[in-house]
Structures are given as C-alpha cells and as structure tokens.
Amino acid sequence: MDDAIRIRLDRPHDLLAYLPYRFGYVPTESLAVLAVLEPEPGTLAVGLAARLDLADLADPQLLVAARAGVVAQMATDPTALAVTVLYTDAGFADVRAGTALGGRVLAAWLDGFPYGDPTLTLVASRTRFRCLECAEQPCCPDDGHPVERLAETAVAAGMVLAGEVLAESREGLACPRDAEPGRARTAARAARRQLAAMDAHDVEQRSRWRTRTLDAFGRLLAQAVPGAGGSPPGAAVLGRLGAALADPLVRDVVVAWCLGGRRYGPGSPHVLEVFEGVVAGALRLPDREHLDAATAVLAQIARHAPPGGAGYALAVLGWLAWWRGEGARADVLQRQCVEEDPCCRLGLLLGQLLDGGVRPGWARPPAVVAPHPR
C-alpha cells in the first residue's frame, strides 16, 4: 500500500480533491456520500461513493428511498463512518438557514442518515468550499476556501499521477460520436458489407470468420497499448468490428477479453466464468494498460459506427467502466447505449446491474484514510 492515495479526514481539502475522481467529474447541484470502511481494527479505507441530484431529492419520498438504498449498500461493508458533501452554488448562509434547496435537502438527509455528522459534512460550490461545522478551529474561514486549493493537494497530484482525468461535466463522460465524415462513410460502408456477409455465412465460414475477426480485434488491442506505435486504425476495420459485435459469440469473447485480459475461443466455458467472476469477485482485474487499450479500441469502434450501430460497442464500454469502478461513466454509457439501440441486451443487462447497486470486486487506486484526530 506504499503507493496508495492517502486522505486525511480532518482535511476537507483532501476529501474534496479525491471525491470527484470517484465520479469522473466535479458534481454540481448534487449530494454525495463517501463511505469510510474499517476492514480490520485500526485500518480505514474508502468505500462506496454515491451521488444524487438535488432536484430529485427535493421530493421527500424520493429522498427517503434514496437514503435507504445508500444505507443498505453501506450495510454490506464494514462501514465506520461517512462523509457527506453538498455541491451547490447557493450561498453558505442560505444552506445553513435552510432557505436554499440544497440546505433543505441536506438537513433532511442528515436527519435520518445513521452516519450523519455535521463535522464530516462539506459544502462546495464552483468557487468556494468549507465544512458545514468545523471539528476544530481554525479550520474554515466564514466564506470558505477557494477551490483552487484542491488542485494543490497531494491527493489531487496522486490521482493525476495515477492517470486519472476529470471530465468537464457528467455529459462529458459519454463516448463522442464525431468521426471525421470521410472516415465515418468508409466505416458505414464496411459495416453494411460485413452484416451482409455474416448473413451469407454457412457454419464453417462463420467459424473461420469469427477467428479472423478476433484476430483483427487483438491487433488493435496490441496497437493501442502505450508505446506500441503504429498508425491509427483504419475506418473500414473499425466499421467491420462494430458490425461483428452483433454476433453473440464474437461479442461475448470481446467482453470477456476486455474485462479479464485473456482471449478465449467462441463458445468457450471460460467466457461464462469471466462474467460470473466479475460479479462474484473471483476475477482479478488485468493490468491498467490492457484496460486502457480496450477502452480506446471500443471508443474508436463506437465513434465510427453509423447511427443506430454503436449499441454493442457502447455497452462493452459501459461494462469496462463499471469494472473499473467508474459507476457514473458506466451509467452514462449505458444510457447512451439504449438510446442508440433500445434492444441491446448487453446494455440492458448492465442497466440491471447498475440499478441493483451491484459493485465489482475492486475499483480505483487504493486510498488509505487517516483517522480523524478526535
């Protein structure tokens, strides 16, 4: 754990510098919760991170239901305490007085939250941040600290060194569909020809085609590894691979390969074992380079797909994001997938996983929490 990100509970700077990396962007007009676990006596680590829109929590019934869901998930872990963060541009005085929506939501949330602690509750706008109640003085000036201080923390530096990048907004987590027009046309033609050829295959031809297709995907993976060099993938190759994901056996191998780091043959029982392992926790995450390469390749496939043809590539990207612990990105990609293809079973399955609060066995670089000095 020598390379772990270390967070001090008595430093709001640390907490606010770290939390956005759990979502992939800095939330706005939201309530967020970060669980702190005690997996063994004297050892603390970060756990569940959840974010909810203030507009949704304005409905008392929805707030109670959302809070119960978060508490139920926290109950499955050795949760010791939790940090609550209100992201709002409302003035701090209005938050404290309850005259702003964020203040009313925060008060209602903390009132029934078993881990509610005003000294472990932070309020952050796009320009300032401070504790709701400081545990000790001096801590926060009346008007809070400037948000620029967050980028100066060791926590922020550690996340950047770990390769983490924040999107400008939640919408920025989506996969762009902005291939250069000429390349997009080339990819679309290749996709149409691929689909027509797939329909004409007999059993033996389909088997050989699957092998060739997976070979092509493997070459793109190898080329996407940092330092591999080589030219960008051809638009026709990307178009053919996007169309090939309509084949269930090819698609399942690609998903298992991306998540587990190993290529198996179409129909291999090991493919199902990968799916079971990512949910049950038996599967270890492959190295970051592989995940980055797989994400880059699938993003290029989705980017070049014709309208209505990116569903499965977006679904695989969503699964990769979920497996990496990027729940917000996984949710955005899943929604993008079903908007593109409402019948994409892989995307619908991911939606069920996210709606059920199912988490992968691990996520993010390890973060060690230093106890609050109280």
Side-chain angles (χ1 to χ4, degrees):
M1 297 281 289
D2 290 341
D3 60 346
I5 305 298
R6 280 169 161 62
I7 302 169
R8 285 283 298 272
L9 283 180
D10 58 327
R11 292 180 182 169
H13 313 67
D14 281 8
L15 293 161
L16 286 174
Y18 172 76
L19 189 55
Y21 287 96
R22 292 295 299 270
F23 305 124
Y25 67 104
V26 180
T28 57
E29 301 306 321
S30 304
L31 186 140
V33 175
L34 178 67
V36 177
L37 314 181
E38 190 170 15
E40 52 188 59
T43 300
L44 298 180
V46 295
L48 171 75
R51 187 211 63 86
L52 302 141
D53 289 328
L54 291 183
D56 294 335
L57 297 180
D59 183 322
Q61 291 184 323
L62 289 179
L63 185 147
V64 170
R67 185 176 57 204
V70 171
V71 171
Q73 289 195 52
M74 293 171 66
T76 65
D77 297 324
T79 302
L81 49 90
V83 178
T84 303
V85 180
L86 174 67
Y87 289 97
T88 181
D89 282 331
F92 182 71
D94 293 331
V95 170
R96 290 292 301 269
T99 56
L101 171 61
R104 295 192 296 274
V105 167
L106 180 61
W109 179 276
L110 294 177
D111 183 56
F113 189 44
Y115 303 97
D117 182 344
T119 66
L120 287 176
T121 301
L122 307 172
V123 180
S125 72
R126 279 175 277 198
T127 58
R128 315 288 294 183
F129 68 92
R130 62 157 296 161
C131 302
L132 183 65
E133 292 184 13
C134 296
E136 57 184 28
Q137 296 294 341
C139 181
C140 298
D142 290 343
D143 62 345
H145 303 279
V147 294
E148 289 77 12
R149 294 187 62 180
L150 301 179
E152 301 169 358
T153 63
V155 171
M159 298 304 290
V160 171
L161 286 173
E164 303 294 339
V165 179
L166 293 176
E168 292 185 2
S169 66
R170 183 178 175 86
E171 292 73 23
L173 301 176
C175 178
R177 302 294 309 283
D178 57 354
E180 188 273 325
R183 286 177 59 84
R185 288 192 294 271
T186 299
R189 285 195 299 269
R192 290 193 297 270
R193 292 169 182 162
Q194 180 70 92
L195 291 171
M198 289 163 60
D199 289 339
H201 287 159
D202 60 28
V203 174
E204 186 176 344
Q205 289 174 324
R206 180 63 66 96
S207 178
R208 292 196 300 267
W209 166 80
R210 286 177 177 136
T211 299
R212 292 195 304 271
T213 298
L214 294 170
D215 288 344
F217 184 77
R219 286 192 291 272
L220 293 192
L221 279 182
Q223 293 169 7
V225 172
S231 57
V237 174
L238 294 170
R240 287 193 293 271
L241 287 173
L245 291 175
D247 180 87
L249 293 184
V250 168
R251 182 172 66 246
D252 289 350
V253 170
V254 167
V255 175
W257 194 351
C258 290
L259 299 181
R262 294 184 61 183
R263 173 181 173 176
Y264 297 107
S268 167
H270 295 299
V271 171
L272 180 58
E273 291 173 2
V274 171
F275 279 96
E276 293 173 344
V278 297
V279 176
L283 185 71
R284 299 295 300 173
L285 199 76
D287 64 88
R288 185 188 179 100
E289 281 192 354
H290 168 80
L291 293 173
D292 288 346
T295 299
V297 171
L298 267 300
Q300 285 295 326
I301 292 173
R303 182 176 296 212
H304 286 76
Y312 283 113
L314 291 168
V316 181
L317 279 171
W319 276 89
L320 271 166
W322 170 82
W323 180 225
R324 300 179 73 149
E326 301 172 352
R329 189 183 302 274
D331 181 64
V332 169
L333 290 167
Q334 191 274 337
R335 293 173 186 272
Q336 191 179 5
C337 163
V338 296
E339 287 176 5
E340 181 93 9
D341 181 0
C343 298
C344 177
R345 295 181 63 185
L346 190 65
L348 294 173
L349 179 60
L350 176 62
Q352 293 174 7
L353 206 70
L354 294 170
D355 290 343
V358 180
R359 289 175 281 165
W362 76 276
R364 291 295 178 183
V368 176
V369 180
H372 197 295
R374 288 185 296 175

